[in-house]
Amino acid sequence: QWEGGVRRPYLEEQEYQFSLATSGQQFGVAALGALNLVGCLYLGNLLASPYIAGKTLVGLLGFVQTIYPALVAYAVAFVAVPVARFFKVKADNAKIEARNRDRASWAYALQKAGGEVQRKLMGAKKLGTKVKVIGKDDIDYSSRESATDQELKDWDKKFGSGS
């Protein structure tokens, strides 16, 4: 992995982004959430006034009075969900950063290791690059035929067909 013109000898885990929105867009959403909360508090204050309290309103005002709890729940969720997600992403990124630090320290330790460790690493690298090609003889089961048919063919191969 390349960073700053230097190739790192390990794969670094990428941190999560909170949002792809620009800072201006994020500010607009935060302002909208704040305005929504303030509007709900103001509406609740109006609906709780002594002139209206205990009375059933009709028409649009009655509808607003009926759905007021849902409006408050929406306003709170509109703010609370992103705030909770922000702290979750922040905690996850702290864990990723710690894992990346661990990888860097292990990579450094391997680079500074003595000749014996380097020799073992080169041997392991050679073993890891060998690829076995799977042939027909290596396949035990295929979904092209039923298991019973395959077992019968396997039986015939081992013990002859009987003819």
Side-chain angles (χ1 to χ4, degrees), residues 9-160:
Y10 59 92
L11 186 63
E12 191 170 70
E13 191 175 354
Q14 298 297 309
E15 293 183 358
Y16 297 114
Q17 270 187 300
F18 173 71
S19 173
L20 296 177
T22 65
S23 59
Q25 290 170 330
Q26 289 178 2
F27 177 78
V29 169
L32 181 64
L35 183 65
N36 197 0
L37 276 175
V38 170
C40 275
L41 293 174
Y42 180 72
L43 182 60
N45 193 23
L46 288 177
L47 292 174
S49 74
Y51 301 111
I52 299 176
K55 297 180 182 169
T56 303
L57 300 175
V58 294
L60 180 62
L61 292 177
F63 176 69
V64 170
Q65 185 180 36
T66 303
I67 66 165
Y68 178 72
L71 293 174
V72 171
Y74 174 77
V76 169
F78 190 85
V79 173
V81 169
V83 168
R85 184 174 177 277
F86 172 79
F87 286 112
K88 170 88 168 94
V89 166
K90 193 172 182 176
D92 289 347
N93 283 343
K95 291 175 187 175
I96 290 170
E97 190 176 318
R99 288 193 298 264
N100 284 338
R101 265 194 316 272
D102 290 345
R103 283 186 192 97
S105 66
W106 280 109
Y108 179 77
L110 284 175
Q111 285 178 344
K112 297 300 177 192
E116 178 68 18
V117 173
Q118 293 296 332
R119 187 182 63 74
K120 287 182 179 182
L121 284 174
M122 291 305 289
K125 191 180 277 188
K126 286 179 186 174
L127 289 175
T129 58
K130 292 180 182 175
V131 177
K132 180 181 181 191
V133 178
I134 305 293
K136 279 194 163 201
D137 296 337
D138 297 319
I139 297 174
D140 289 332
Y141 176 76
S142 171
S143 59
R144 291 182 186 208
E145 300 177 52
S146 72
T148 307
D149 290 343
Q150 289 183 47
E151 286 177 17
L152 289 173
K153 284 182 181 179
D154 190 39
W155 179 268
D156 288 342
K157 277 185 196 174
K158 286 182 182 177
F159 301 109

